Amino acid sequence: MRARIARRIPRWLFVRLRRLWLSLVPIAQCAAAAGLAWWVAADLLQHSRPFFAPIAAVVSLGLSLAKRWRRSVELIGGVLIGIFVGDLLISTIGSGAWQICVVVAVAMSIAVFLDGGLMIPIQAASSAVLIATLIPPGPGSLDRAVDALIGGGLGILVVAVAPVNPARRARRDAAAILHTLKNLSADLAVGLRTNDEDAIYRVLASARGTQASIEALRNDVAAGREVGRLSPLYWSSRDRLKRIAATADPIDNAVRNFRVITRRCLGVTQRGVTIEPAIVEIIDSMSSGFEMLRAMMMAEPGESPDQADAAREIRSIVRKARTSIADNVEDISETAVLVELRSLLVDMLMVAGLKRSSAIAQLHLNR
């Protein structure tokens, strides 16, 4: 039902709606943290114009789920540097164009000296500029520093109390990539059977377009691990997060190997050579292997298919990918395709939970 509705929505609108949907929880977290930070600083502590508190809360969280703890520390450090440098220098040298130059240079220099993070110098300079232009230095310096601490601290608190499910987004990312590989494997097999260069090229173009999905997977894995450390609600999910994180590199390698296979197949087809049917059969069988891995990724703990089910499915493909197939091929590039397919099967076995040494051993048993 959901898939049918998605197909009826224009692509440009679907992409934007999906982006908004994925950002709803981070947006809600930012909004809650900003309002809470203002309430604590203004109503509870009676600070005058405590805008550093909600700003710190929003910037420390942001829409990216990864490295929020690091962002909060960098932001708080940068704001504190900017406040103290701005107060000290502006109260001494006054305000004006050249004074802003001096304040920004000093604040950023201190920030860079203390830490190599990208956010600290920017926040230090921004805070120093605010002191130099809008907020006169004075006895409120300590309040401004406290406001920054309140905002950053409450941002982390909101993540811990109302976090994004740390496993859900990462496994959905992984499942989406595996689903793409399933479809591309089937399409590549069809293109090879019909010697359709255009179809194979389209598969290659689609495979090259998966890099953004790989980066999203890695970011969400990092975010999941961070939430698993910060939030007591998900401490019990750490082992599952660890298993999901272990699939990121094999999935990335699988995508890269698939691109190489498709590129070699395109070259062979362009030379007018027909790929050995046994090799095409392996590529076609990989489609069901990727589908099993996708289903494994989305299955809840204790449900089927699990890692053992997926490994059995892929072992059945490994048995087809014997090196003896190369005895029947005439073009050396076909042999290279077979070698790459066996390497891709190692990646698939690793996604199913096998260690690399065990996955390679499976191929050695099926020469």
Side-chain angles (χ1 to χ4, degrees):
M1 178 66 179
R2 185 182 301 176
R4 287 199 300 269
I5 295 175
R7 284 194 294 268
R8 294 175 182 174
I9 299 175
R11 178 65 182 172
W12 65 269
L13 180 58
F14 175 79
V15 170
R16 286 161 175 77
L17 289 174
R18 185 175 185 275
R19 185 170 62 226
L20 176 60
W21 172 256
L22 293 176
S23 300
L24 285 179
V25 172
I27 288 172
Q29 289 176 331
C30 288
L36 189 59
W38 178 271
W39 177 73
V40 170
D43 296 343
L44 292 187
L45 300 182
Q46 299 294 312
H47 288 179
S48 176
R49 295 187 297 171
F51 58 82
F52 273 116
I55 288 176
V58 171
V59 176
S60 66
L61 292 178
L63 293 181
S64 173
L65 298 178
K67 298 182 180 178
R68 283 178 158 184
W69 172 254
R70 171 72 178 177
R71 258 202 324 268
S72 295
V73 173
E74 289 185 357
L75 177 132
I76 293 171
V79 170
L80 293 178
I81 292 170
I83 289 172
F84 289 128
V85 169
D87 278 334
L88 178 63
L89 291 183
I90 296 303
S91 61
T92 303
I93 64 177
S95 61
W98 71 267
Q99 288 92 337
I100 291 177
C101 294
V102 173
V103 166
V104 169
V106 173
M108 295 187 75
S109 297
I110 293 175
V112 170
F113 176 79
L114 294 177
D115 189 271
L118 296 177
M119 184 176 288
I120 287 185
I122 296 173
Q123 290 301 323
S126 301
S127 301
V129 168
L130 287 173
I131 299 297
T133 57
L134 297 179
I135 310 170
S141 299
L142 181 60
D143 288 351
R144 292 192 282 269
V146 171
D147 292 341
L149 291 170
I150 289 171
L154 286 175
I156 295 300
L157 180 63
V158 167
V159 171
V161 174
V164 175
N165 186 310
R168 182 177 299 158
R169 290 182 66 145
R171 67 177 181 153
R172 284 181 176 175
D173 292 338
I177 296 169
L178 293 167
H179 181 71
T180 298
L181 288 173
K182 166 205 165 184
N183 293 334
L184 293 180
S185 297
D187 292 345
L188 178 58
V190 171
L192 290 172
R193 287 187 175 117
T194 58
N195 290 319
D196 188 339
E197 293 181 23
D198 291 337
I200 298 173
Y201 182 80
R202 287 194 296 271
V203 171
L204 179 59
S206 297
R208 285 171 173 167
T210 58
Q211 194 57 43
S213 299
I214 295 291
E215 295 303 321
L217 170 61
R218 292 192 178 279
N219 287 337
D220 285 338
V221 164
R225 282 180 158 178
E226 187 173 287
V227 170
R229 288 193 298 268
L230 292 176
S231 176
L233 299 175
Y234 289 107
W235 284 349
S236 61
S237 300
R238 288 177 178 176
D239 288 340
R240 190 178 188 199
L241 283 166
K242 186 176 180 180
R243 288 195 297 272
I244 295 173
T247 67
D249 283 341
I251 289 175
D252 189 357
N253 291 335
V255 172
R256 294 175 189 274
N257 276 326
F258 185 83
R259 291 174 190 154
V260 173
I261 290 166
T262 307
R263 190 163 56 246
R264 289 189 182 278
C265 288
L266 179 62
V268 172
T269 304
Q270 287 173 336
R271 291 198 300 274
V273 177
T274 300
I275 294 283
E276 175 68 28
I279 294 178
V280 179
E281 176 61 27
I282 296 168
I283 295 172
D284 201 13
S285 298
M286 282 183 169
S287 179
S288 62
F290 284 123
E291 172 57 23
M292 179 64 77
L293 290 173
R294 185 206 65 79
M296 176 205 76
M297 194 66 65
M298 293 303 296
E300 297 295 336
E303 293 183 353
S304 295
D306 57 15
Q307 289 182 323
D309 296 326
R312 278 193 297 272
E313 175 72 22
I314 298 165
R315 286 192 188 99
S316 69
I317 306 172
V318 170
R319 287 191 287 270
K320 299 178 182 179
R322 296 181 178 274
T323 55
S324 57
I325 294 175
D327 297 338
N328 301 322
V329 303
E330 299 179 358
D331 194 299
I332 192 172
S333 292
E334 291 183 82
T335 303
V337 169
L338 179 61
V339 171
E340 292 293 343
L341 285 171
R342 288 171 63 85
S343 179
L344 177 53
L345 285 167
V346 170
D347 299 328
M348 295 173 72
L349 286 168
M350 290 177 68
V351 176
L354 274 69
K355 293 183 178 179
R356 183 170 182 81
S357 57
S358 299
I360 293 174
Q362 293 293 318
L363 266 74
H364 287 165
L365 291 173
N366 293 274
R367 287 181 172 275

